[in-house]
Amino acid sequence: MNPYDNLPEKAYWKPAVAQRSLFDLVDLWDPRFPISPKDAVVTFGSCFAQHIGRAMLSRGFNWFSAEPGPVGLSAASRAKFNYNVFSARTGNIYTTSLLHQWVKWATGVTSPPDEVWEVKGRYYDPFRPAIEPDGFASKDEVLESRERAIEAFATCIRDAKVFVFTLGLTESWLNSEYGYEYPVCPGTVAGTFNSEKHVFRNQDYTECLASLMHAIKAMRQQNGSIRVILTVSPVPLTATNSGNHVLVATMHSKSILRAVAGKAVNHFDFVDYFPSYEIINSPAVRGTFFEPNMRSVNPRGVAFVMDQFFHSLIGKFGSPGELPVSGASGGAPAVSTADDIVCEEELLEAFGDAK
Amino acid sequence: MKAPVAIFGSSFIGALRKWTETTSFQDPDFTIEFMATSGAKTPVARVEDGRVVDFKYSSAPDGRRLSDYVAIFLYARMPTPLDIAARYKAARESGCSRQVILAMVRDSLEESPNLILFRRIREAFHGQIYLVSSNIPSDVAPPEPGDYQLGVSLIREVLGDKYHEFPSEMFNRDLTPRLELYKGSVTYNGEAPTGDQSKHDRNHLNPEGGSIVLRSMVARLARPRSQKQAWWQPIATMFKKLMAALRRRPLSYASA
């Protein structure tokens, strides 16, 4: 007898993967806790997180938006102005350090800087540079809007039963003078790049892990019953400033994030990991779930990932019962197709196209 | 030959039609024609071969084409200035930018039956179209000072001159609607609201209220030149008034 004699089928590549059709892959996720249709679920993170919010809502779960936008705003305008893209109007939160920064603002540990970018008479939020496509009318408008987003983010932490966070990047841009982080390099989406003030940092495992652990602990202090589901975005980097080939930089970044997520799951019993990254990127899938650009995940891939999510939950905990079709608190997520995904980082592609 | 003017809409226009029938109202320059369908069904009306079809009630002659009209008023469900002001204030309180608020105002209007009807009619009619909002409910709470004007100005930012505002005679000093204009209200068939509509009685005007709205519409229209007073008539009137005043008082200020 040895430990491998009595392992389940899923432990062996040949029966679990090689001898199966892609669509017969099962048991990819062993969820730690159930999600009731009444549980408020919030979603934040990189671009891929938007799919999760939409899928939760379409299955009758209580996807919660703390900043749904004003009454009377159409679905198209909500999407244009980034309402209901995430559970608060934070824009993309790509890195664990950026998550920690938002948590510190929301919990009052630090105050957000009053930095605002002005371009041709319009004003942009460095921490949500694409949140209003044409910028704001004034600096005060930027700061007020940001303040509301922070309040909404705090509400999400306080009221959520499940906080879903999709880890996206290790590459980050910092303000060298004050140490705070931007979601994208200044001068790309908006603002002006200043090589003395804006510094690049490709965060390593230790840094990413420390930020994530601090953020989770701080959220748990605010809400003793919050549970966290981590995922790693399967979407490759649009561009890298690391000096490596973008394909190598992508694997470097995703590998670190995957390891960080695993460490957090091992450390906290209220944190789980859902393998969307593995499902999309596995060799068993042969790239089937990518669009022709080999970067964007196609709708079939999104549907497959989310089917795995819900089948695993039901398989382990049973059907959650009658699911209300319109379970969302505050409106439908703005995402409707893969093309509608809001991804500030993708704007970097324009700089590559010019070459 | 009088020029035809259309008033298309929902049950709101019943009060206008009823008043024209009971008083045998005749405008010297315009023939007023009505077409209506109940509020929820207004978007059912569509344009086919240059004609509006699928209105439940029509006083227009058979074969009337949209291009025959010199102007069209659309009077179906559309947010009132007070609705828009309330949404504006809620949006401001939640920290929305001016761009978002303007988009909200535009969306609130564009998704209303009146604007749906407008877009359909605009495809076949290139003349002047005016849009009237829903009636303000008779039991509305007195608005905060400035709210009504705020709503009007926001609607005008989107609709411009196309927006036809309710005349001031419809309001009390505190800008609540005059209740006496709602008592004995009628719907598009000219009868008292029944069934589901009776619950919305507070939204329908009576023929007296209808007459105020109708006269404000007619006042908005450009009269044919031949029917207008000659260009010198206002000057002559002023001169006559001046002479009368001079006769009443000594020319004391002339020597001052």
Side-chain angles (χ1 to χ4, degrees):
Chain A
M1 275 296 269
N2 69 63
Y4 289 88
D5 281 337
N6 292 319
L7 291 177
E9 193 176 85
K10 73 173 186 179
Y12 297 93
W13 187 266
K14 189 175 173 185
V17 180
Q19 292 180 337
R20 284 176 180 266
S21 147
L22 153 66
F23 295 100
D24 291 331
L25 295 176
V26 290
D27 297 331
L28 290 167
W29 182 41
D30 181 20
R32 270 185 160 175
F33 45 79
I35 302 176
S36 148
K38 290 180 183 170
D39 292 342
V41 179
V42 297
T43 50
F44 291 98
S46 75
C47 317
F48 196 77
Q50 297 162 54
H51 292 301
I52 299 175
R54 181 185 172 220
M56 298 292 301
L57 187 65
S58 69
R59 309 267 179 151
F61 283 86
N62 182 17
W63 181 80
F64 175 74
S65 174
E67 205 176 5
V71 172
L73 196 66
S74 67
S77 294
R78 278 177 212 278
K80 178 182 176 187
F81 291 104
N82 289 286
Y83 285 99
N84 294 347
V85 171
F86 300 103
S87 293
R89 216 162 157 235
T90 56
N92 291 120
I93 301 177
Y94 289 112
T95 62
T96 57
S97 45
L98 208 50
L99 172 67
H100 190 208
Q101 184 167 281
W102 274 94
V103 170
K104 286 191 285 186
W105 291 344
T107 53
V109 172
T110 58
S111 296
D114 63 0
E115 182 177 345
V116 168
W117 295 337
E118 189 261 327
V119 181
K120 295 177 182 172
R122 300 296 294 177
Y123 296 83
Y124 295 82
D125 187 346
F127 307 103
R128 308 174 304 151
I131 209 78
E132 297 246 344
D134 303 316
F136 291 86
S138 67
K139 180 175 180 177
D140 285 347
E141 208 176 55
V142 175
L143 296 178
E144 186 180 0
S145 173
R146 186 197 297 162
E147 193 58 38
R148 296 308 172 113
I150 293 169
E151 287 171 14
F153 186 69
T155 300
C156 289
I157 294 172
R158 197 174 56 244
D159 294 349
K161 285 284 184 189
V162 180
F163 187 102
V164 180
F165 182 66
T166 302
L167 294 79
L169 297 175
T170 56
E171 297 189 14
S172 56
W173 287 92
L174 307 175
N175 181 301
S176 60
E177 194 176 354
Y178 299 105
Y180 53 77
E181 183 176 340
Y182 305 101
V184 292
C185 177
T188 54
V189 179
T192 306
F193 182 70
N194 178 335
S195 59
E196 290 179 7
K197 207 165 117 183
H198 302 135
V199 294
F200 174 75
R201 183 159 192 84
N202 196 0
Q203 299 180 42
D204 63 20
Y205 170 83
T206 310
E207 292 166 305
C208 292
L209 179 64
S211 294
L212 183 63
M213 300 297 261
H214 285 310
I216 292 173
K217 282 178 188 170
M219 288 195 288
R220 187 74 169 182
Q221 278 178 353
Q222 296 291 312
N223 176 355
S225 61
I226 198 169
R227 289 167 297 185
V228 178
I229 296 177
L230 300 173
T231 63
V232 171
S233 168
V235 181
L237 276 63
T238 300
T240 180
N241 190 54
S242 64
N244 288 327
H245 189 286
V246 67
L247 187 146
V248 177
T250 293
M251 298 310 284
H252 175 93
S253 186
K254 302 294 180 187
S255 301
I256 286 175
L257 295 175
R258 176 63 188 92
V260 164
K263 181 69 176 176
V265 171
N266 289 340
H267 189 82
F268 299 112
D269 62 4
F270 60 91
V271 177
D272 201 354
Y273 174 77
F274 174 69
S276 53
Y277 168 71
E278 288 86 339
I279 294 170
I280 298 294
N281 282 282
S282 163
V285 176
R286 298 181 178 88
T288 304
F289 293 142
F290 283 108
E291 296 283 11
N293 67 5
M294 299 305 290
R295 183 176 178 277
S296 307
V297 178
N298 62 36
R300 289 189 307 281
V302 173
F304 185 77
V305 166
M306 295 317 301
D307 281 348
Q308 291 289 335
F309 184 90
F310 294 109
H311 286 161
S312 300
L313 272 176
I314 293 168
K316 180 156 183 181
F317 300 109
S319 171
E322 193 70 23
L323 295 173
V325 174
S326 55
S329 316
V335 178
S336 58
T337 68
D339 290 341
D340 293 334
I341 290 293
V342 178
C343 208
E344 290 150 358
E345 189 221 5
E346 284 185 354
L347 297 169
L348 295 175
E349 197 164 74
F351 298 91
D353 289 343
K355 291 186 172 58
Chain B
M1 182 80 174
K2 292 184 183 180
V5 171
I7 302 177
F8 296 153
S10 64
S11 53
F12 295 142
I13 73 172
L16 285 63
R17 186 177 76 92
K18 185 78 172 176
W19 180 76
T20 60
E21 286 176 359
T22 53
T23 62
S24 303
F25 169 76
Q26 292 287 326
D27 184 273
D29 298 322
F30 304 109
T31 307
I32 313 293
E33 294 174 1
F34 301 98
M35 289 194 200
T37 300
S38 65
K41 292 178 182 166
T42 310
V44 169
R46 59 202 166 77
V47 176
E48 206 174 86
D49 192 27
R51 297 176 176 86
V52 180
V53 296
D54 289 346
F55 271 118
K56 187 171 180 183
Y57 171 82
S58 173
S59 68
D62 286 346
R64 173 67 85 201
R65 301 181 68 80
L66 283 169
S67 55
D68 296 336
Y69 293 114
V70 293
I72 296 174
F73 287 85
L74 301 179
Y75 187 14
R77 281 196 300 195
M78 185 174 102
T80 69
L82 293 180
D83 296 332
I84 293 294
R87 288 181 181 186
Y88 172 91
K89 288 167 82 173
R92 278 300 303 137
E93 281 168 17
S94 63
C96 294
S97 68
R98 179 148 180 84
Q99 273 203 112
V100 168
I101 291 172
L102 281 178
M104 176 274 291
V105 172
R106 188 173 298 111
D107 292 344
S108 296
L109 295 169
E110 286 189 350
E111 294 189 350
S112 69
N114 222 18
L115 269 286
I116 293 170
L117 193 55
F118 170 79
R119 288 193 290 274
R120 289 181 187 167
I121 287 173
R122 179 48 93 207
E123 287 177 15
F125 177 72
H126 304 294
Q128 187 65 54
I129 300 178
Y130 299 101
L131 295 125
V132 190
S133 76
S134 294
N135 292 334
I136 295 171
S138 59
D139 58 354
V140 73
E144 297 282 323
D147 277 8
Y148 186 81
Q149 288 77 10
L150 170 68
V152 168
S153 66
L154 288 167
I155 293 174
R156 283 205 190 285
E157 278 202 48
V158 176
L159 300 182
D161 283 346
K162 285 193 259 322
Y163 176 53
H164 181 74
E165 195 181 343
F166 287 122
S168 57
E169 303 103 278
M170 295 185 67
F171 300 98
N172 298 309
R173 274 174 172 263
D174 63 358
L175 290 176
T176 53
R178 286 169 54 204
L179 197 57
E180 64 268 28
L181 302 179
Y182 291 74
K183 286 177 179 166
S185 60
V186 293
T187 63
Y188 66 93
N189 59 3
E191 295 172 5
T194 56
D196 280 351
Q197 285 184 319
S198 64
K199 286 185 282 190
H200 306 295
D201 196 18
R202 65 199 185 99
N203 293 323
H204 293 109
L205 295 170
N206 59 25
E208 185 192 349
S211 77
I212 295 173
V213 176
L214 183 64
R215 280 188 273 118
S216 75
M217 291 172 167
V218 172
R220 187 112 193 231
L221 299 170
R223 299 273 165 190
R225 186 77 185 168
S226 60
Q227 297 293 319
K228 285 184 177 174
Q229 60 184 353
W231 64 269
W232 45 265
Q233 280 185 344
I235 301 169
T237 305
M238 278 178 59
F239 183 76
K240 279 181 190 171
K241 284 182 181 173
L242 180 63
M243 292 307 291
L246 289 175
R247 279 195 293 273
R248 279 200 300 272
R249 59 169 63 187
L251 292 172
S252 57
Y253 60 89
S255 57

